[in-house]
Amino acid sequence: TVREADGLALSSRNRYLTPEQRRQAPLLRRALLDASASSGPPAELRLKIIDALSTASQARIDYVAVVDPESLASLETSQPHMLIAAAVYFGQTRLIDHITLA
């Protein structure tokens, strides 16, 4: 994934963000990175991301999922490799991002 200097994934959708939404949008990546740096079960990682995103007034969470990177099945317990994926609306613009935990 190619990223802008502040960590936001480079996307043609970014042009639809208002200045305030654009200012808040990098929180999506920061929330994923913070969760990946912590330990805990998938439900705890999800809540950590949801809590972080709830601080952005322009964000509306579509989903946050912790899944097996091969099957994309939701995980209830931690495993050596996990994928955290999220989709968040900033206004009408839906941004997606993910991070793999090894």
Side-chain angles (χ1 to χ4, degrees):
T1 303
V2 177
R3 298 192 177 277
E4 298 199 28
D6 60 6
L8 183 64
L10 196 59
S11 170
S12 60
R13 287 176 263 181
N14 295 352
R15 69 177 182 228
Y16 299 117
L17 298 169
T18 66
E20 180 59 19
Q21 292 163 352
R22 177 61 186 83
R23 188 185 69 73
Q24 292 183 19
L27 179 60
L28 174 55
R29 181 67 176 167
R30 285 195 305 275
L32 293 172
L33 289 170
D34 288 348
S36 73
S38 64
S39 59
E44 192 175 296
L45 297 176
R46 275 187 83 251
L47 286 176
K48 184 173 185 140
I49 294 165
I50 290 168
D51 286 346
L53 291 169
S54 70
T55 66
S57 63
Q58 300 290 310
R60 182 172 41 91
I61 298 169
D62 186 8
Y63 68 83
V64 176
V66 182
V67 300
D68 178 279
E70 297 295 321
S71 68
L72 299 182
S74 291
L75 297 174
E76 299 298 322
T77 58
S78 295
Q79 65 181 40
H81 299 283
M82 299 186 292
L83 174 78
I84 304 175
V88 179
Y89 284 94
F90 287 88
Q92 298 299 312
T93 306
R94 185 173 181 258
L95 302 179
I96 58 173
D97 209 339
H98 69 280
I99 194 163
T100 302
L101 308 179

